[in-house]
Amino acid sequence: MVVRHSKYLRPITIAALAFGAMLSPTAASALDLSGKKIQLIVPYREGGGSDVYSRMFAPYLGKHLPGKPSILVRNMPGGASIKGNNWFERNGKPDGTALVTISSSTQVSYLLGGKKVKFDMLQWRPLLASPMGTVFYIHANTGFSVKDPAGSIRKLGNKELRYGAKTVIASELVAFLTYDMLGLNVKPVFGLSRGQTRQAMLRNEAELNTDSAWTYIKKVKKLVKKGTVVPMMTAGFPKKGKVLRDAILPDMPTAVEIAAKLHGKQPAGPMYEAWLNFVNTRTTGFALPKGTPDSVYKAYTAAFKATLADPKFNKAAKGIIGGYEQAIGDDAKEVFDSAVGMKPEVKKWLVDWIREKFNVNI
């Protein structure tokens, strides 16, 4: 399934959200969380991107839920988020006292985690989906030109380019699929985070890296100004069978635009469909447990609408989710379903590709 941003990432104005917030007492009338302590399970370490995201939302969500409960953030890292998500699947009560943070690694683990995965994302009740742009950049010593990215890739030919990644089964699969789609000869260097790969580039030990759009703006643009690295492209965002440019970096071409120029036609086939799935996993959000009743679900979606309309929250969130339209409720479910609802034939192709390319069996 291809994510259709025009439907669920439609513009949400502050006025509309404020109107929804005014209606929230009615929507939440069947639920009273007064005196309750809500567990927000964050299946990642403290201080990471998903933890910062979760802690940013927590106080505002508590403020706008009926009864103004306390939101307790509980970090439960391990196994690329599998440990915390398995705990949530077993122990999360559908009474409004537990919710979980979903990030890219959760979705990748669900797709490829195998027998260790004991949770079913498709049965959870997603509340919010926040898209994240992905930027690809390359070392300036490769001679890559932003004026002619397709021509630059042709000139690179079969030159080996090093790219750091944590593991094969991680969100970096977006990058590996992208590089293959463009025909680049990439040598993976495993065990490196995005920041560590950035440092490796400064030491001329790596040529390629990726970051979220906001990380690129905060940490990489200064390296572009110094002439150390060169921006290549973004992953963009799927919409009605097309891939649109990143909302906060609209001057950068998408990987699909460059692939079309390189190959003389739009990408298609199982590689492209797998790529779309993994681009769609570049989303963070929250979900309630399976079996959560509508009364609880409606109260939470109303609280998220009110949070997004809160001026103080918008100021705090500007450099984290600012510039991207948010999906709430049923629209959020469609976002996550589009990421993890991979076709069986595409999954088979992906498993074979990973085995052949990385000598790893899924």
Side-chain angles (χ1 to χ4, degrees):
M1 182 189 296
V2 177
V3 172
R4 302 187 185 282
H5 285 66
S6 61
K7 176 181 177 183
Y8 56 77
L9 292 183
R10 53 185 175 268
I12 303 176
T13 66
I14 295 298
L17 285 169
F19 178 73
M22 288 190 294
L23 295 180
S24 61
T26 300
S29 60
L31 181 69
D32 183 7
L33 295 171
S34 300
K36 298 288 187 180
K37 293 182 179 180
I38 312 300
Q39 285 198 85
L40 170 52
I41 305 302
V42 181
Y44 314 95
R45 64 177 177 83
E46 293 183 9
S50 297
D51 181 64
V52 171
Y53 173 90
S54 302
R55 292 178 188 275
M56 177 184 71
F57 271 97
Y60 296 96
L61 182 60
K63 171 185 173 182
H64 293 293
L65 279 168
K68 301 184 185 302
S70 299
I71 307 291
L72 305 179
V73 176
R74 183 177 179 186
N75 294 88
M76 200 176 293
S81 84
I82 292 175
K83 177 182 176 181
N85 288 311
N86 284 346
W87 187 95
F88 178 74
E89 180 80 8
R90 293 191 308 269
N91 301 289
K93 295 180 180 180
D95 59 359
T97 60
L99 67 159
V100 68
T101 301
I102 299 172
S103 192
S104 181
S105 58
T106 297
Q107 298 166 77
V108 174
S109 293
Y110 182 76
L111 283 168
L112 301 175
K115 295 180 179 180
K116 293 181 180 180
V117 173
K118 306 297 182 183
F119 62 93
D120 189 352
M121 262 192 68
L122 292 172
Q123 296 300 315
W124 292 350
R125 301 205 69 177
L127 296 162
L128 178 74
S130 302
M132 296 182 292
T134 302
V135 182
F136 299 77
Y137 51 99
I138 190 169
H139 203 292
N141 64 14
T142 61
F144 189 92
S145 171
V146 295
K147 295 181 179 179
D148 185 15
S152 296
I153 290 174
R154 289 193 185 96
K155 288 180 181 178
L156 285 171
N158 201 41
K159 180 179 179 180
E160 186 177 85
L161 303 170
R162 294 164 294 182
Y163 172 73
K166 289 183 180 179
T167 66
V168 173
I169 307 173
S171 57
E172 286 92 342
L173 272 172
V174 171
F176 288 125
L177 286 165
T178 300
Y179 296 139
D180 254 28
M181 187 166 66
L182 297 175
L184 290 168
N185 178 21
V186 175
K187 178 184 178 180
V189 181
F190 291 116
L192 298 181
S193 67
R194 303 272 49 80
Q196 289 170 329
T197 303
R198 206 180 304 124
Q199 292 301 312
M201 293 182 81
L202 296 178
R203 299 190 298 268
N204 293 316
E205 296 172 357
E207 288 75 38
L208 296 169
N209 200 12
T210 59
D211 270 308
S212 71
W214 278 114
T215 299
Y216 173 83
I217 289 170
K218 294 173 183 177
K219 297 184 178 182
V220 183
K221 285 191 84 172
K222 60 185 178 183
L223 300 180
V224 174
K225 290 181 180 180
K226 289 181 179 179
T228 306
V229 304
V230 180
M232 297 178 72
M233 59 198 163
T234 70
F237 291 98
K239 177 183 176 181
K240 292 185 177 180
K242 298 181 179 180
V243 177
L244 299 185
R245 290 192 174 192
D246 192 288
I248 65 174
L249 294 167
D251 293 334
M252 283 194 200
T254 67
V256 171
E257 288 178 65
I258 297 175
K261 287 185 179 181
L262 279 169
H263 307 308
K265 60 181 179 180
Q266 290 293 316
M271 174 181 283
Y272 180 59
E273 291 194 42
W275 181 84
L276 286 170
N277 279 110
F278 279 93
V279 169
N280 292 335
T281 66
R282 300 291 293 163
T283 306
T284 305
F286 302 99
L288 291 166
K290 62 182 179 182
T292 298
D294 287 343
S295 58
V296 174
Y297 177 73
K298 289 177 181 178
Y300 266 89
T301 53
F304 272 106
K305 288 178 182 178
T307 295
L308 292 173
D310 191 314
K312 291 184 178 180
F313 172 82
N314 276 277
K315 184 177 181 180
K318 183 178 179 181
I320 299 176
I321 64 171
Y324 294 113
E325 299 161 2
Q326 307 295 295
I328 299 175
D330 290 343
D331 293 339
K333 178 174 173 53
E334 186 176 347
V335 174
F336 289 118
D337 285 358
S338 296
V340 300
M342 183 177 282
K343 297 176 182 176
E345 61 270 26
V346 175
K347 175 71 174 289
K348 181 182 183 306
W349 176 89
L350 182 66
V351 169
D352 291 342
W353 177 79
I354 290 173
R355 182 176 61 251
E356 293 171 6
K357 187 172 184 67
F358 302 106
N359 195 29
V360 172
N361 291 315
I362 302 299

